């Protein structure tokens, strides 16, 4: 299950070299709004819950009615977005994110993790989820967009 809507606004254009600060701020934000009723029902049916250690993942579990998350680990974080320390023209952060994510698929990983590293981390995480599911009968993973797809 993907985390809830982040409580973060990408309000103005930034230079590429400022993306590191913006990413850090985004990673420290929580969520806003309430989860859909069907998501709450699904969460109640799971015997174990796993989240990344980012606030938006943990707060999503709390919003689903899970008071204590038994496993919250950086292993399950979103694939890091690379960025350049260059780039003098301010561009909306959403555009930078698309540009650098596309470049990431072609091997660019400056200031982030490589696609290969993210895939390996996702494989380790998937094995951990299988292990927990086998032990507990079911597991709810509250993760992030790209790491969920790996």
């Amino acid at each position: 299950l993907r985390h809830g809507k982040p409580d973060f606004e990408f309000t103005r254009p930034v230079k590429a070299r400022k993306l590191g600060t913006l990413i850090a701020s985004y990673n420290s934000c929580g969520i806003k709004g309430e989860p859909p009723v069907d998501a709450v029902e699904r969460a109640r049916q799971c015997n174990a819950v796993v989240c990344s250690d980012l606030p938006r993942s943990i707060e999503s579990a709390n919003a689903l009615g899970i008071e204590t998350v038994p496993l919250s680990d950086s292993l399950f974080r979103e694939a890091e977005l690379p960025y350049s320390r260059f780039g003098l023209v301010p561009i909306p952060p959403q555009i930078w994110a698309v540009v650098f994510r596309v470049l990431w698929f072609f091997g660019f990983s400056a200031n982030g993790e490589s696609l290969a590293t993210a895939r390996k981390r996702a494989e380790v995480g998937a094995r951990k989820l299988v292990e927990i599911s086998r032990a507990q009968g079911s597991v709810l993973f509250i993760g992030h967009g790209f790491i969920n797809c790996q």
Side-chain angles (χ1 to χ4, degrees):
L1 183 66
R2 187 162 189 249
H3 62 74
K5 184 171 177 55
D7 189 10
F8 192 84
E9 297 295 324
F10 296 103
T11 56
R12 57 190 144 127
V14 296
K15 296 177 181 180
R17 66 176 177 251
K18 298 288 186 182
L19 284 176
T21 303
L22 190 69
I23 290 167
S25 294
Y26 178 71
N27 282 342
S28 67
C29 80
I31 62 165
K32 61 182 172 183
E34 297 297 320
V37 174
D38 64 322
V40 174
E41 290 301 319
R42 284 187 201 172
R44 287 185 183 144
Q45 297 171 9
C46 292
N47 298 331
V49 178
V50 175
C51 295
S52 82
D53 62 344
L54 294 175
R56 62 187 179 271
S57 183
I58 296 166
E59 285 186 20
S60 293
N62 297 153
L64 291 167
I66 298 144
E67 293 179 21
T68 304
V69 177
L71 178 59
S72 173
D73 194 308
S74 62
L75 173 68
F76 300 106
R77 280 185 172 210
E78 175 64 290
E80 293 178 13
L81 182 69
Y83 61 93
S84 174
R85 297 220 185 263
F86 304 102
L88 303 175
V89 178
I91 295 177
Q94 300 89 328
I95 303 294
W96 280 128
V98 170
V99 167
F100 285 120
R101 191 57 82 190
V102 168
L103 291 172
W104 181 69
F105 281 109
F106 288 101
F108 180 76
S109 62
N111 304 302
E113 70 183 327
S114 70
L115 177 59
T117 300
R119 282 189 171 149
K120 286 177 188 172
R121 184 166 56 85
E123 287 174 18
V124 171
R127 283 195 296 272
K128 183 78 173 168
L129 292 172
V130 168
E131 180 183 302
I132 293 168
S133 179
R134 285 184 178 147
Q136 299 291 323
S138 61
V139 64
L140 171 64
F141 170 52
I142 303 171
H144 307 272
F146 278 96
I147 203 69
N148 286 1
C149 298
Q150 296 296 317

